[in-house]
Amino acid sequence: MKGLEFIIFDLDDTIYPRSAGVMQAIGDRIHRYMVERLGLDEEVAVRLRREYLTRYGTTMRGLITHHHIDPEDYLEYVHQVPLADLLSPAPRLDAALSEILAEKVIFTNASREHAGRVLQTMDIERHFTRIVDIRDMDYRSKPHPTAYQRLLTLLGARPQACLLVDDSARNLRPARELGMTTVLVGDGHLEDGVDFVIEEVAQVGSVVRILGA
């Protein structure tokens, strides 16, 4: 892909492996938020979280829509997880990112503060010129189509100049429909909306080389 200008990375379960347990810890905090802050029954919280994830892409969007929560209170609460106990510097990823000339951006349904802490803990923050977070998307998270349009507007980018790397095929499909090239990280296979599959994010350089960028 001649003219590749941006490589856009999802954060959680993409920049680090799912096995790190960060999202499990955040999931526990989300559940506690629903029970402690909203006073929901344990079983109701589990059911609604599953329903909101399916319907909106994130629990937070469902809670904003149906429970009128303060999103800033939510973001601060759910991201209070011990990253230093779960993540460590990632020298292979650091080396892979160093070889890529295109501008590197984080595109996350989480907060900018959480993303910054993850990148600092992994010692790779210097590679990323920008973090586009849930606030930048007006709290409309991936896979909502407006999130991707907002991303492109903020970057001043053509979709054809962007490579999007994410652990969710569901989150890649809207990007592919716009014209971005897509890379699925983790256990997965080529399917609608997915151009490439890699086992771990440190292999992204192989995709860039295939594209001739």
Side-chain angles (χ1 to χ4, degrees):
M1 177 198 284
K2 299 296 183 183
L4 176 64
E5 298 175 9
F6 297 94
I7 301 186
I8 302 159
F9 294 83
D10 173 51
L11 183 79
D12 291 307
D13 285 355
T14 296
I15 284 293
Y16 58 81
R18 184 169 295 137
S19 60
V22 175
M23 281 305 295
Q24 180 178 340
I26 292 173
D28 291 343
R29 295 287 298 176
I30 292 172
H31 180 80
R32 286 174 57 188
Y33 180 92
M34 296 175 73
V35 172
E36 296 176 7
R37 286 280 207 271
L38 302 182
L40 298 176
D41 178 80
E42 296 271 356
E43 293 183 2
V44 172
V46 170
R47 176 177 58 79
L48 288 179
R49 185 179 172 211
R50 186 181 302 117
E51 177 183 324
Y52 294 158
L53 280 171
T54 300
R55 185 173 177 182
Y56 298 106
T58 63
T59 302
M60 186 179 77
R61 187 66 211 178
L63 294 177
I64 291 172
T65 301
H66 299 286
H67 304 265
H68 311 293
I69 66 164
D70 175 358
E72 289 302 319
D73 177 63
Y74 174 90
L75 290 170
E76 181 179 0
Y77 186 100
V78 304
H79 290 125
Q80 291 179 20
V81 296
L83 291 179
D85 296 337
L86 302 170
L87 299 174
S88 59
R92 288 187 63 245
L93 178 56
D94 180 45
L97 294 173
S98 296
E99 294 177 356
I100 296 172
L101 298 180
E103 186 171 346
K104 293 168 278 290
V105 175
I106 293 292
F107 179 38
T108 177
N109 285 343
S111 68
R112 181 173 289 103
E113 293 82 0
H114 171 66
R117 288 191 293 269
V118 168
L119 299 179
Q120 289 167 12
T121 303
M122 297 180 69
D123 196 22
I124 55 173
E125 69 273 18
R126 65 186 175 280
H127 295 291
F128 297 91
T129 59
R130 184 160 194 167
I131 296 170
V132 177
D133 77 345
I134 191 65
R135 300 186 192 95
D136 294 318
M137 295 180 265
D138 196 27
Y139 302 106
R140 290 196 176 276
S141 55
K142 298 176 283 182
H144 196 286
T146 61
Y148 304 82
Q149 295 285 4
R150 181 64 175 157
L151 169 72
L152 293 171
T153 298
L154 289 170
L155 297 180
R158 299 174 298 109
Q160 293 78 12
C162 298
L163 181 72
L164 179 62
V165 184
D166 201 297
D167 68 297
S168 167
R170 181 187 183 192
N171 287 346
L172 291 174
R173 281 190 283 272
R176 187 68 185 85
E177 290 172 2
L178 286 171
M180 297 186 201
T181 301
T182 58
V183 181
L184 179 65
V185 179
D187 297 330
H189 56 274
L190 289 175
E191 57 180 282
D192 182 38
V194 178
D195 293 309
F196 296 92
V197 178
I198 56 179
E199 292 182 0
E200 58 175 328
V201 70
Q203 296 171 336
V204 67
S206 63
V207 175
V208 174
R209 289 190 290 274
I210 289 171
L211 294 172

